[in-house]
Amino acid sequence: MKKIIILLLSFVISVLFTLSTYYKQTQQVLIEESNNLYTPKSVNIETTFSSFVSNIELKSKPYRLFSQVENEQLNIRAFYSNDYSYWNAPIHNGRFFKKNNEFTALVGVDVPTHEIDGIKYFLYNSKKYEVIGYLGKYVPNYFKSSVLLSDNSFFMDGTGQYVLDGEFSKNITDYLTVSNNNNVGVGRFLNLDFFTPLLIIFTHLIIVLATIFLAFIYNLMYRKERSIRYLLGTTHLIYFKERLLFLNFLLFFSVLPVIISAHFIIFDTFDYIIGIILYLLLINLEYFFIFFFDAQKEGLE
């Protein structure tokens, strides 16, 4: 019965964290998809590409740069980034760019492509771009005439207008000519930038309280056994190590099925697994303090 209680509590905590992560990622994707791949932080800038990429202030944080390509039938944009591990475009099939100047393309479902030797290409200005994916994770029809290109040649040497997005500093106006981008996504109407963080914080607060409760209950379950073992000569440190090992055994087997299932809905699995590990470490730390505080209070030293 003791094992079942700990397994259930740990399972509920991991499920809450998984749902919280899924909600956060889904909201972010919906905001970007409804705003043409831009976040509410995006800004319009006017600068030369060479001076932009050499800017020391901008190099310190990940950013992405979009350049609009003139075309009457399609919405074509070129893409450049200083960190491809930070952001992926929402796609429902294929992969995102891995580096700059790949000469590859992400296209919408209605964008005309040409197949050569079993490989699909998007043709533009006598250039071939291998199609590596299709835009739109949840609303692909919104991008049916959109194209995203990995080609630095669209970033002209002279002064040009671009859309900058990412985690750039607030004093960006000190070194760039900036104007606000036209945010037309769901984030603007639903104020998700305000409500989503509050909901995430509230959920994590519940999870933290649940981990404290789990550590407290686990300590309470074995308090009598600890006292008996202490009287029989077992030091509290040795007993703590035994209980901690067993606790982690239970945590691992309760969390493992959730992690395996989450693989199908969480697309940023690295951060998700790191978050799960941190919560498991938090339970260990909480149990450590509760165990030794309780032992000291009982005089088991």
Side-chain angles (χ1 to χ4, degrees):
M1 187 63 183
K2 294 178 181 179
K3 297 176 185 178
I4 294 175
I5 293 173
I6 299 302
L7 286 169
L8 285 176
L9 282 173
S10 178
F11 179 79
V12 169
I13 289 170
S14 58
V15 168
L16 278 175
F17 179 74
T18 302
L19 292 177
S20 172
T21 304
Y22 175 71
Y23 172 80
K24 182 180 178 181
Q25 292 185 356
T26 302
Q27 290 300 312
Q28 186 60 39
V29 170
L30 288 175
I31 288 172
E32 292 174 2
E33 287 197 349
S34 64
N35 197 33
N36 213 16
L37 300 183
Y38 306 133
T39 70
K41 296 179 181 179
S42 62
V43 292
N44 293 312
I45 63 171
E46 187 173 341
T47 182
T48 62
F49 182 65
S50 57
S51 63
F52 176 86
V53 295
S54 60
N55 190 296
I56 297 176
E57 292 288 338
L58 287 168
K59 284 182 178 180
S60 62
K61 293 187 177 181
Y63 66 78
R64 47 194 180 274
L65 195 67
F66 298 84
S67 176
Q68 190 69 41
V69 179
E70 291 186 10
N71 189 276
E72 293 181 359
Q73 285 80 34
L74 301 172
N75 176 24
I76 304 176
R77 285 170 294 168
F79 182 85
Y80 180 91
S81 178
N82 68 335
D83 186 353
Y84 278 89
S85 66
Y86 181 74
W87 183 81
N88 287 326
I91 55 179
H92 66 274
N93 189 20
R95 68 167 178 87
F96 187 53
F97 307 130
K98 294 181 179 179
K99 60 181 180 179
N100 293 315
N101 225 25
E102 276 188 352
F103 289 97
T104 53
L106 295 169
V107 301
V109 291
D110 288 348
V111 173
T113 58
H114 298 266
E115 189 168 326
I116 304 173
D117 296 329
I119 300 174
K120 289 185 178 181
Y121 292 91
F122 171 72
L123 306 182
Y124 185 79
N125 279 358
S126 302
K127 288 184 179 180
K128 292 191 305 182
Y129 299 90
E130 182 184 346
V131 176
I132 59 172
Y134 292 85
L135 290 167
K137 186 174 182 65
Y138 298 116
V139 196
N141 284 337
Y142 188 78
F143 299 96
K144 60 184 179 180
S145 300
S146 296
V147 179
L148 205 61
L149 300 175
S150 176
D151 184 353
N152 291 1
S153 66
F154 290 104
F155 297 91
M156 62 188 72
D157 292 332
T159 301
Q161 293 186 343
Y162 309 107
V163 176
L164 174 64
D165 209 344
E167 298 297 327
F168 42 82
S169 59
K170 293 182 180 179
N171 64 337
I172 188 175
T173 53
D174 294 343
Y175 44 88
L176 283 176
T177 303
V178 174
S179 61
N180 290 329
N181 195 18
N182 184 26
N183 179 24
V184 295
V186 294
R188 174 187 175 188
F189 301 106
L190 301 180
N191 203 14
L192 294 178
D193 272 358
F194 175 76
F195 289 109
T196 297
L198 283 181
L199 184 59
I200 296 298
I201 291 172
F202 180 71
T203 304
H204 281 270
L205 179 60
I206 292 175
I207 294 173
V208 170
L209 293 175
T211 61
I212 295 173
F213 180 70
L214 187 152
F216 177 79
I217 289 295
Y218 184 71
N219 178 70
L220 192 63
M221 287 175 175
Y222 293 96
R223 175 187 282 178
K224 186 176 181 180
E225 180 183 305
R226 181 188 64 202
S227 300
I228 296 172
R229 289 281 300 276
Y230 179 76
L231 293 174
L232 293 174
T234 303
T235 65
H236 64 285
L237 183 59
I238 292 176
Y239 186 74
F240 169 76
K241 290 179 180 180
E242 292 176 4
R243 287 293 105 211
L244 187 65
L245 182 64
F246 184 67
L247 173 62
N248 282 285
F249 174 81
L250 294 177
L251 293 176
F252 175 77
F253 277 97
S254 63
V255 169
L256 186 60
V258 181
I259 294 177
I260 294 173
S261 302
H263 176 73
F264 298 100
I265 61 172
I266 304 294
F267 48 88
D268 190 356
T269 53
F270 178 78
D271 286 346
Y272 166 74
I273 292 174
I274 292 297
I276 288 286
I277 292 173
L278 288 176
Y279 270 117
L280 295 180
L281 290 175
L282 179 63
I283 294 172
N284 278 256
L285 186 63
E286 290 165 346
Y287 179 59
F288 171 81
F289 282 110
I290 291 172
F291 179 93
F292 284 102
F293 176 79
D294 199 30
Q296 186 180 36
K297 188 173 67 174
E298 290 186 354
L300 302 178
E301 293 188 279

